[in-house]
């Protein structure tokens, strides 16, 4: 019996994108680091599950420095074409001032072949805020906005 290669996706954001206030925004134009089954479209940010199974899905996001009002928050979602698998994480900033809002999540999900996942960001600061990105070939290559999917 031959062993099936497990799905591994690792992508990072390396091009600028601004997230408007009070608007869910899909993260697009990713750089694929690893995508061993070619299941991720980096331009649209959509990962299509190649086969049913259990997966570890991680998403982290950091904004560039911005002045924010008290009680601003950032929320990230892993949106699924099957609504029951949509996951969210929210961080609230109770004090006004300059900061770099960020959050992350890691979830274990039962995913179905053909299901589509995308990373979504939302913030309510009152103005658009650019994501913190590291252009290709600069720094250590870890990035500040990352998405990974690993089949268990």
């Amino acid at each position: 019996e031959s062993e099936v290669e497990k799905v591994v996706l690792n992508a990072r954001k390396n091009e600028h994108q601004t997230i408007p206030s009070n608007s869910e925004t899909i993260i697009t134009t990713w750089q694929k680091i690893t995508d061993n089954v070619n299941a991720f479209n980096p331009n649209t940010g959509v990962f299509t599950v190649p086969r049913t199974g259990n997966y570890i899905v991680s998403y982290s996001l950091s904004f560039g420095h911005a002045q924010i009002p008290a009680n601003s928050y950032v929320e990230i979602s892993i949106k699924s074409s099957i609504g029951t698998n949509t996951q969210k994480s929210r961080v609230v900033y109770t004090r006004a001032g300059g900061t770099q809002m960020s959050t992350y999540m890691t979830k274990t999900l039962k995913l179905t072949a053909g299901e589509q996942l995308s990373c979504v960001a939302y913030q309510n600061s009152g103005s658009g805020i650019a994501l913190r990105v590291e252009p290709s070939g600069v720094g250590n290559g870890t990035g500040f906005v990352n998405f990974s999917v690993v089949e268990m």
Side-chain angles (χ1 to χ4, degrees):
E1 176 180 328
S2 64
E3 191 164 319
V4 175
E5 183 178 21
K6 299 289 185 180
V7 175
V8 177
L9 165 71
N10 185 16
R12 73 179 183 125
K13 183 85 171 131
N14 67 345
E15 292 190 25
H16 293 282
Q17 184 173 351
T18 296
I19 307 302
S21 186
N22 300 311
S23 178
E24 284 192 341
T25 304
I26 294 174
I27 307 303
T28 58
T29 59
W30 293 84
Q31 176 189 15
K32 288 199 278 189
I33 307 301
T34 303
D35 183 8
N36 67 334
V37 296
N38 201 30
F40 183 62
N41 181 326
N43 297 320
T44 64
V46 174
F47 172 81
T48 303
V49 178
R51 66 180 154 266
T52 299
N54 293 314
Y55 292 79
I56 299 169
V57 182
S58 297
Y59 170 31
S60 63
L61 178 139
S62 182
F63 286 95
H65 191 272
Q67 294 292 322
I68 61 169
N71 298 313
S72 292
Y73 67 88
V74 58
E75 181 176 277
I76 60 173
S77 303
I78 298 170
K79 290 278 190 175
S80 168
S81 57
I82 299 173
T84 56
N85 274 338
T86 294
Q87 303 291 314
K88 292 185 177 188
S89 174
R90 178 186 286 189
V91 175
V92 178
Y93 294 81
T94 57
R95 294 185 177 173
T99 191
Q100 286 183 278
M101 297 191 298
S102 62
T103 188
Y104 66 93
M105 76 167 94
T106 300
K107 302 286 184 179
T108 301
L109 300 172
K110 172 80 171 174
L111 300 175
T112 304
E115 184 174 355
Q116 295 185 323
L117 303 178
S118 57
C119 296
V120 175
Y122 179 94
Q123 57 87 15
N124 71 339
S125 71
S127 61
I129 303 177
L131 295 175
R132 184 175 182 195
V133 297
E134 184 177 274
S136 294
V138 176
N140 62 12
T142 57
F144 299 99
V145 180
N146 300 287
F147 179 43
S148 67
V149 180
V150 178
E151 185 179 16
M152 297 175 65

